[in-house]
Amino acid sequence: MESKVQEQTTPANLSSEVPGTLATSSSPNMGDQPWQEWLGPVVDILAKIPEYVGEFFNEYQKPLTTLGLILLSIVTVKIIVAVLGAVDDIPLLAPLMEIVGLGYSGWFVWRYLLKASNRKELLGEFDALKNQVFGDNG
């Protein structure tokens, strides 16, 4: 009777050779096979990702650059609008900026636009700046 009790209480996965050790399975791990079959192609694809990205960028470099510049300009405009909105919310700063702008516009009209000689001077300065930026086309 004692041996039957011992047989029932001894777990099946313990080795009888050394007490307390797990018995090793004599059959190969069948659960690892599907995992290993999927691992090889995944590792190959992951190893080739930098090559794929490089080829894609080389092939579509101009459109990607154009798209990047468009996105950058949209972000820049949004930031400028946000900054102007923040400045507009500061009390007395927006009216002060309007007064400064009106004052500068008045000075510009007085200095350059009222007299014909001053208009010629302004056109001469504008042409000089245009030639300096775009080159001499004349």
Side-chain angles (χ1 to χ4, degrees):
M1 254 206 197
E2 234 175 76
S3 65
K4 285 185 180 180
V5 172
Q6 258 184 347
E7 283 179 23
Q8 291 175 355
T9 59
T10 305
N13 62 347
L14 288 180
S15 174
S16 61
E17 297 169 358
V18 178
T21 60
L22 294 175
T24 57
S25 173
S26 60
S27 64
N29 283 341
M30 297 304 269
D32 287 344
Q33 290 294 343
W35 181 72
Q36 289 176 351
E37 290 174 9
W38 283 92
L39 183 64
V42 169
V43 168
D44 290 340
I45 290 172
L46 289 176
K48 292 180 182 178
I49 284 179
E51 181 181 327
Y52 292 148
V53 170
E55 289 175 6
F56 179 80
F57 185 75
N58 285 336
E59 187 173 340
Y60 298 107
Q61 186 173 7
K62 286 186 180 180
L64 288 174
T65 303
T66 304
L67 182 65
L69 289 174
I70 290 171
L71 291 175
L72 184 66
S73 64
I74 290 171
V75 169
T76 303
V77 167
K78 288 194 175 257
I79 289 173
I80 289 172
V81 168
V83 168
L84 289 176
V87 167
D88 193 34
D89 289 341
I90 298 173
L92 296 177
L93 189 59
L96 178 67
M97 294 293 202
E98 288 178 14
I99 291 172
V100 168
L102 287 172
Y104 183 77
S105 297
W107 173 83
F108 185 82
V109 167
W110 178 262
R111 170 70 176 93
Y112 289 110
L113 300 179
L114 287 181
K115 296 181 184 175
S117 62
N118 292 346
R119 287 192 294 267
K120 287 181 184 177
E121 178 186 346
L122 178 64
L123 286 175
E125 289 179 14
F126 180 73
D127 287 337
L129 180 64
K130 185 171 70 171
N131 288 337
Q132 188 179 17
V133 172
F134 297 113
D136 195 15
N137 294 333

